[in-house]
Amino acid sequence: MKVCRTIDELRNHLTEAPRPVGLVPTMGALHEGHLSLVRAARDRCDTIVMSIFVNPLQFGPGEDFDRYPRSEQADLAAAEREKVDLVFVPSVAEMYPDDRSTTVRVAGVSENFEGAIRPDHFDGVATVVTKLFGIVQPDIAFFGRKDAQQLAVVRRLVADLSLPIEVVACETVRDPDGLAMSSRNAYLSAEDRERATALWKALEAGAAALRRGGDPAEAEKAMLAILEPATDHVDYVAVVDPDTFSAPLRAHPHLLIVAARLGETRLIDNLLVEDIA
Ligand code: PAF
């Protein structure tokens, strides 16, 4: 496994790399969710590139950029175990020279829910992902369904810019009690970790309401009934179209989304319900 810290170094290694090339973009603090992306890449690709970069552009003022978990040595060891071929670990200066003046904005799908609560977040994601796509030029890129709105933004970006990249969505990996794996779970106190199971319980209740023939409003009510008493603040519960994050069409897949705060920690999760009559 080669560890590359500059764009030139990575590109030099990539000239010889067998295709298809798969990209697994991460911000490090790797957990089973990230490793499942690598395993999906291994099934499809002859070269796997993992990027590890805590992207300052996607954190707002007062968010957790400074305290975001960083564990490079452990991450590199995990990547090596999973047989990643190239790990790209650039510095902020390498990615964003001082004269940088381009921002990528995906209108529409990036504007509500996470985009409304975290203004500029998706501009930061779209900018870094576009840049990683330009640097690595992957054939296939692997993203987790856990960040469902990010996935929708990336899919829109790839379609709108006609990028020759297949975006593969991988299932959310959960702890046995349903909590979705996330690097931010490390922030939770033991008591908040316990309460955090409410996100999954709320999604299951919402899905059950839809499967009983309930409409999105009933599903949202069911989710709120579980989430409100268990958490410190509910940012949103909603039922949306997974591609546009606007109201779902009847008989199309419905995506249940939730975001809530426990203490200082903000968690998001989602569940796709496809079998709607
Ligand atoms: O999902 C993440 O970890 C990040 O948003 C990504 C896609 C690596 C961009 O920084």
Side-chain angles (χ1 to χ4, degrees):
M1 184 180 85
K2 296 271 182 250
V3 179
C4 305
R5 296 191 185 269
T6 67
I7 296 169
D8 282 351
E9 214 183 334
L10 180 68
R11 282 200 169 133
N12 282 340
H13 285 294
L14 279 168
T15 51
E16 304 284 297
R19 290 206 166 258
V21 169
L23 172 65
V24 178
T26 81
M27 296 206 299
L30 300 181
H31 51 65
E32 275 300 313
H34 298 110
L35 303 184
S36 75
L37 304 182
V38 176
R39 289 167 199 152
R42 178 57 64 214
D43 286 346
R44 298 277 312 273
C45 301
D46 287 334
T47 301
I48 303 177
V49 182
M50 172 188 276
S51 60
I52 299 179
F53 178 61
V54 185
N55 172 33
L57 297 190
Q58 68 189 76
F59 291 79
E63 288 190 356
D64 54 345
F65 175 69
D66 288 330
R67 70 180 185 115
Y68 194 83
R70 287 164 173 85
S71 50
E72 189 181 301
Q73 286 320 309
D75 290 348
L76 293 179
E80 179 127 50
R81 277 196 302 276
E82 293 296 330
K83 302 197 173 14
V84 170
D85 299 288
L86 295 163
V87 187
F88 181 46
V89 198
S91 64
V92 172
E94 178 70 9
M95 287 296 271
Y96 301 130
D98 287 344
D99 59 353
R100 177 193 87 86
S101 57
T102 301
T103 297
V104 180
R105 168 164 298 164
V106 179
V109 63
S110 73
E111 285 164 14
N112 47 18
F113 302 108
E114 287 305 289
I117 289 166
R118 305 180 67 192
D120 302 333
H121 169 67
F122 286 122
D123 290 1
V125 171
T127 301
V128 80
V129 166
T130 306
K131 185 146 175 137
L132 290 168
F133 284 173
I135 294 167
V136 177
Q137 301 189 16
D139 300 291
I140 313 179
F142 296 83
F143 291 84
R145 288 191 187 277
K146 155 79 171 36
D147 293 306
Q149 197 171 0
Q150 167 173 284
L151 176 65
V153 167
V154 171
R155 284 195 190 286
R156 188 73 263 156
L157 164 79
V158 165
D160 287 353
L161 300 183
S162 307
L163 301 179
I165 298 171
E166 182 188 347
V167 173
V168 169
C170 299
E171 288 313 317
T172 302
V173 178
R174 299 181 180 281
D175 281 344
D177 63 4
L179 182 67
M181 290 203 180
S182 160
S183 305
R184 290 190 168 98
N185 292 352
Y187 300 151
L188 294 168
S189 67
E191 187 204 326
D192 289 347
R193 167 66 188 78
E194 190 72 20
R195 294 196 294 148
T197 56
L199 276 84
W200 176 240
K201 289 178 188 148
L203 290 168
E204 282 189 311
L210 288 180
R211 290 192 178 112
R212 279 197 304 270
D215 63 13
E218 284 167 65
E220 287 166 9
K221 203 171 144 202
M223 291 193 284
L224 208 52
I226 293 179
L227 217 47
E228 223 162 29
T231 63
D232 295 319
H233 182 77
V234 178
D235 280 351
Y236 56 76
V237 296
V239 182
V240 298
D241 175 299
D243 297 323
T244 60
F245 272 66
S246 52
L249 296 172
R250 236 187 109 66
H252 276 226
H254 285 35
L255 185 72
L256 305 165
I257 56 173
V258 295
R261 292 168 205 256
L262 295 125
E264 298 287 292
T265 309
R266 184 169 180 277
L267 297 178
I268 61 172
D269 201 356
N270 65 83
L271 178 61
L272 189 66
V273 182
E274 293 182 280
D275 47 345
I276 309 253

